Amino acid sequence: IAATAGPPLAPVPAPAPSAAVPRRLRVGYLSHDFRDHPIAHLIAGVLERHDRSRIEVAAYAYGPPDHGPHRARIAAAVGRFVDIDALGHRAAAERIRADGIDILVDLTGPTFGGRMQIAALRPAPVQVWYLGYPGTTGARFFDYVISDAIATPTAIADGFTEALVHLPHLFQAPVASELADPPARAHLGLPADAFMFASFNQPAKLDPLLFACWMRILARTPAAVLWLYADPPVVADRLRDRAAAAGLDRSRLVASPRVPVADHLARIAAADLVLDTGHFNGGTTTSQVLGAGVPVLAIAGRSFAARMSASLLFAAGLADCVLPDLSAYEACAVALGNDRPAAAAIRSRLAAARATAPLFDLDQFVRDLEAAYAAMWASRVAGLQPAPIALAPD
């Protein structure tokens, strides 16, 4: 990537700290996804809550033109919003450097539309990889990756080129939401009396072993159906074919198309229990489901991508919904699918946790994130190499 971007800009020396002339830390967020996208849904509340007495916040946007409400919300939340789409990689890096950004946070990285060539030019003294996807970039020009001890235990740190930063509660910004009654199931095309298992993850996250497990769960819970996000319709048809091949009636799978975010958030609560995917969990999806008051069953895998939901469930006070393997996951789903009072009790615990659990405390999350930035900057000012950072709870 660095080779395609041209020779690096000269290194930016960190200024020496001065108690006599304090200055706010300058944090810049770089992304292709300041639009109707999960990244924007997660980061907007963070940008709005940054402590402006301590941090100057800038956003650097690229990608296709967007005049929607999500981009407008982000632009209103920051002190400086710069559209760099028309700038080449070097010009964009020079603009970030000219703005005096201390910590550059890349939210897109190697995902769709990403321009890692900008960060490869080292426009900021501290560079951070965050949120775009759960894993390492493999790049040496990112100093840190933001996570937590559940999502990325220290045992897997060797798989990252970035130093791990463990926030004290969870890696992902909570999604602010209010509990509300969903539309009637009939309005959503759902059977009124069935126990409603659901999965709102992208179909690309499914794998044959997991889907076979879901079919066994349905076979063992005769009063249940599985509600899936499946768009385009051909995806639903193929999944129903798989269900029929497993000996199930095709009607046991109910599919819903993509709808606007507000409509999707409103319909989630019609589910009784969400079944997470395995090798690549729900991230924003799991957060939205828990925010809507619906419990999730997840497996704690061995990679960041397979441990996102575990992190969110621990932060929601539902550690018992994190299972060690597919067999335990299946057994738990079957037990709850056949015991509605037990499933309802977990839902009640989740509702009660909204008052105290870290998953629902966006203000605390932002304080934790700002403490991480302060620790990164203190290390840079001291002339130290990036090293793992583990923040303790307040």
Side-chain angles (χ1 to χ4, degrees):
I1 291 174
T4 64
L9 295 173
V12 183
S18 172
V21 187
R23 176 173 71 74
R24 292 184 295 167
L25 195 62
R26 295 175 184 148
V27 178
Y29 291 88
L30 173 67
S31 185
H32 174 269
D33 300 320
F34 292 140
R35 53 194 174 93
D36 186 4
H37 186 277
I39 296 300
H41 305 161
L42 289 172
I43 206 66
V46 174
L47 301 180
E48 290 168 341
R49 287 165 173 78
H50 270 312
D51 183 351
R52 294 307 194 274
S53 70
R54 300 172 57 206
I55 294 179
E56 294 180 32
V57 185
Y60 297 91
Y62 56 89
D66 187 295
H67 305 289
H70 301 283
R71 190 181 186 95
R73 180 185 175 190
I74 288 171
V78 299
R80 182 187 301 120
F81 186 89
V82 186
D83 189 334
I84 59 170
D85 188 63
L87 301 180
H89 305 317
R90 175 167 290 276
E94 288 172 344
R95 171 60 194 265
I96 293 167
R97 179 176 174 179
D99 287 344
I101 296 300
D102 301 315
I103 299 177
L104 181 65
V105 184
D106 191 327
L107 299 172
T108 302
T111 64
F112 176 78
R115 291 175 60 182
M116 286 174 62
Q117 296 92 336
I118 296 171
L121 290 165
R122 272 284 180 183
V126 176
Q127 301 196 157
V128 180
W129 166 230
Y130 180 47
L131 211 54
Y133 89 100
T136 182
T137 62
R140 298 291 179 183
F141 47 79
F142 287 114
D143 304 304
Y144 301 97
V145 59
I146 294 173
S147 184
D148 64 58
I150 299 294
T152 56
T154 54
I156 68 172
D158 288 349
F160 289 78
T161 54
E162 310 88 351
L164 293 179
V165 176
H166 282 167
L167 299 184
H169 301 293
L170 74 162
F171 77 97
Q172 184 177 284
V175 176
S177 61
E178 298 293 334
L179 288 179
D181 293 330
R185 282 187 173 181
H187 179 74
L188 297 171
L190 304 174
D193 298 326
F195 184 90
M196 192 67 60
F197 289 116
S199 175
F200 300 113
N201 280 307
Q202 293 279 356
K205 292 185 178 182
L206 300 183
D207 66 77
L209 286 177
L210 179 75
F211 192 78
C213 174
W214 287 355
M215 297 304 96
R216 292 194 300 274
I217 291 169
L218 287 179
R220 297 171 65 189
T221 53
V225 300
L226 177 58
W227 178 21
L228 298 172
Y229 166 79
D231 208 13
V234 66
V235 174
D237 290 339
R238 289 177 179 174
L239 293 177
R240 290 191 183 104
D241 289 344
R242 289 292 188 97
L248 296 170
D249 191 287
R250 293 169 63 89
S251 66
R252 302 286 299 280
L253 267 63
V254 183
S256 290
R258 179 182 175 89
V259 295
V261 173
D263 294 336
H264 175 61
L265 296 178
R267 71 185 178 181
I268 290 172
D272 291 307
L273 182 67
V274 164
L275 302 176
D276 192 32
T277 46
H279 297 302
F280 201 117
N281 295 168
T284 307
T285 302
T286 297
S287 186
Q288 289 172 339
V289 167
L290 294 172
V294 180
V296 177
L297 289 189
I299 301 168
R302 292 188 289 179
S303 68
F304 193 166
R307 298 181 66 86
M308 292 188 291
S309 290
S311 165
L312 297 169
L313 285 162
F314 269 78
L318 296 182
D320 54 321
C321 289
V322 179
L323 288 312
D325 53 41
L326 198 63
S327 176
Y329 170 93
E330 178 180 338
C332 187
V334 169
L336 292 173
N338 287 319
D339 188 345
R340 296 191 187 213
I346 297 176
R347 192 174 186 127
S348 296
R349 284 170 47 207
L350 179 59
R354 296 179 74 87
T356 58
L359 182 66
F360 304 107
D361 193 343
L362 182 53
D363 290 329
Q364 179 63 57
F365 176 85
V366 175
R367 290 194 295 272
D368 293 339
L369 184 63
E370 290 176 347
Y373 291 156
M376 296 174 201
W377 186 244
S379 177
R380 178 67 178 85
V381 168
L384 303 176
Q385 293 298 311
I389 296 171
L391 299 177
D394 285 350

